[in-house]
Amino acid sequence: MFFLYGCAEKQKIITNGQLLQVVSPVKAEPSNPKDFETKIPDSSMIRNSLISFSKTYQRVYSDSDVISFAAGKDMIAVLKPDEIGFTVASCPGLYLKEKYDNVRVYGYEAVIYNGSRVDVYSAKECASFGIFPRLLNGNVEIVPNYIIEWAGSQAALRNAYTGEELYKGDTGINIVSAGYVKGVPVLLQDNGYLLSYDKNIKAFVLSGQMPSGYNEIYHSEGRFYGTLKDEKKFFVLDNDTIKISDETNCTASPASVSGLCGTTLITDSEIYRDMPVKGQFASTSTTFMTLDKANLNIYYLETVWQRFLSMSYKLPNACRAGNALYYKSFSGNIYKNVNGKESVVSSIPKNCLSKNIVLNYGEFYCSGKKCGKFAAPIKNNSDAVMYRRIEDNTIYYYFDNLK
């Protein structure tokens, strides 16, 4: 049993504050393809390389050995084996004496927990309010002033600051989520019934019913959200108003109000395409997070031009089948080129012949006649010719060296 109730525990503060950089955006160094095109580079290394510019989501934080993370309106919390980090300037993080399995946040408060205890933190106070024994071996949620636990049809509620047990009992029907609606803690049962805590009688009582037909449902910062059974569309329930996305085959994040539909991120107000998806995910109004095994990466949601250099590249070797050229390009895509018009295909035909086909000055020649365009020569001097090729959201540059 633990007997730490109601007193803030002084702990050693992590001072490097690496996670803080996601609070105030740190823009990537400006990199613009129009600037690169102004002249032929003097560097022979660049002229012997493939240069590419892509609109990407700028990664601003990377970490390993991460166990869990959570994102709210006011902060992100990252749990590691021996520390918890916050995106709060006055409290970048605290060292931990014990190992925990998960973290949840609401406002500037967080709860971390394992199978035997919960530890309640205030990032504003930069201290623990107290370490309390688990009341149930199940899920945990933090809401203003309270910690909610539930397992099956059983639920428990305690004061987040003193640890006082306010309720523990069986609701009779399995609980699928818990949260905070209209100023009170609530339980959501799998039949859609919503139970609200009545502090006068110290019990959860029926207060309403949620819209049915959800596939998965979570709670964060006073809102329930998840995916529907019908086409797995992402939805958010906010102040009795339900918002449903047009995207299908979505998955909701347990760590924030967000859904992922392929590589498309849906939040309660915005849609973002081509996200760097890998593993678990979450988002805030400005960032996107992925946790792959124990590796966490955080990106800004605003895209920027980023420049890449590859010293090992090959110009395409084309072949011809019928009236079409086929070749693999810099992106790895295979293209079919008919009269200069390209389309992506899955493979090159077996009867494709490469005899007497050359690439010269950005054009393919078949037996000495132009038969397809690959890239545009855009600048030249006595040293080199610069070529530009555009594929999807990437611009490629390569050179013919004349000297």
Side-chain angles (χ1 to χ4, degrees), residues 86-381:
F86 304 111
T87 49
V88 176
S90 59
C91 187
L94 292 163
Y95 287 108
L96 304 174
K97 297 177 181 179
E98 301 290 335
K99 290 186 178 180
Y100 293 89
D101 302 325
N102 215 325
V103 58
R104 301 291 295 160
V105 301
Y106 198 115
Y108 289 99
E109 294 177 0
V111 59
I112 54 178
Y113 60 93
N114 55 28
S116 61
R117 66 190 205 172
V118 295
D119 196 346
V120 184
Y121 281 90
S122 166
K124 281 191 172 180
E125 299 294 332
C126 207
S128 169
F129 284 134
I131 302 171
F132 313 118
R134 290 293 301 271
L135 297 174
L136 294 171
N137 187 20
N139 298 286
V140 177
E141 184 65 274
I142 185 169
V143 299
N145 305 316
Y146 302 97
I147 302 296
I148 309 172
E149 297 183 56
W150 71 98
S153 61
Q154 293 188 326
L157 184 73
R158 65 161 24 113
N159 185 298
Y161 310 122
T162 67
E164 177 189 357
E165 182 181 320
L166 302 173
Y167 172 86
K168 185 177 181 182
D170 197 316
T171 66
I173 299 174
N174 278 349
I175 300 163
V176 294
S177 189
Y180 195 72
V181 175
K182 297 179 180 178
V184 296
V186 296
L187 304 172
L188 177 63
Q189 298 176 314
D190 64 7
N191 60 0
Y193 287 155
L194 200 65
L195 309 180
S196 298
Y197 181 68
D198 187 328
K199 63 181 179 180
N200 293 320
I201 62 174
K202 294 189 175 180
F204 281 92
V205 296
L206 180 64
S207 60
Q209 190 169 11
M210 290 276 288
S212 60
Y214 49 80
N215 175 60
E216 56 180 339
I217 190 162
Y218 304 106
H219 171 271
S220 179
E221 301 279 359
R223 290 170 291 176
F224 284 100
Y225 63 97
T227 58
L228 302 175
K229 288 181 180 178
D230 182 20
E231 299 185 287
K232 294 186 179 179
K233 292 184 176 182
F234 180 72
F235 75 90
V236 179
L237 184 63
D238 194 354
N239 293 326
D240 297 325
T241 300
I242 188 168
K243 304 175 185 177
I244 303 175
S245 74
D246 292 329
E247 305 288 333
T248 58
N249 294 317
C250 303
T251 300
S253 168
S256 71
V257 184
S258 54
L260 206 55
C261 316
T263 59
T264 298
L265 174 69
I266 310 290
T267 70
D268 57 350
S269 59
E270 299 289 343
I271 297 177
Y272 301 91
R273 309 286 181 182
D274 302 318
M275 301 306 302
V277 177
K278 204 169 185 180
Q280 301 174 46
F281 72 96
S283 70
T284 69
S285 60
T286 58
T287 62
F288 176 71
M289 289 154 270
T290 64
L291 179 60
D292 179 34
K293 296 178 182 176
N295 300 311
L296 176 69
N297 290 299
I298 302 179
Y299 303 82
Y300 287 141
L301 287 173
E302 182 182 353
T303 57
V304 294
W305 281 111
Q306 289 191 298
R307 172 176 156 176
F308 303 91
L309 181 148
S310 176
M311 298 182 67
S312 176
Y313 78 100
K314 291 182 180 179
L315 291 172
N317 292 316
C319 62
R320 192 170 189 178
N323 66 339
L325 288 174
Y326 294 86
Y327 45 87
K328 181 181 284 188
S329 189
F330 304 130
S331 63
N333 289 332
I334 297 172
Y335 284 88
K336 177 182 179 180
N337 189 321
V338 180
N339 297 325
K341 293 183 179 180
E342 291 182 324
S343 59
V344 177
V345 295
S346 58
S347 61
I348 295 175
K350 291 182 179 179
N351 62 342
C352 199
L353 302 177
S354 58
K355 186 176 180 180
N356 297 325
I357 300 177
V358 295
L359 177 63
N360 186 30
Y361 210 60
E363 303 267 7
F364 287 111
Y365 288 80
C366 301
S367 299
K369 294 183 179 180
K370 290 182 182 181
C371 55
K373 188 173 184 178
F374 176 72
I378 58 170
K379 195 166 291 293
N380 66 280
N381 61 17

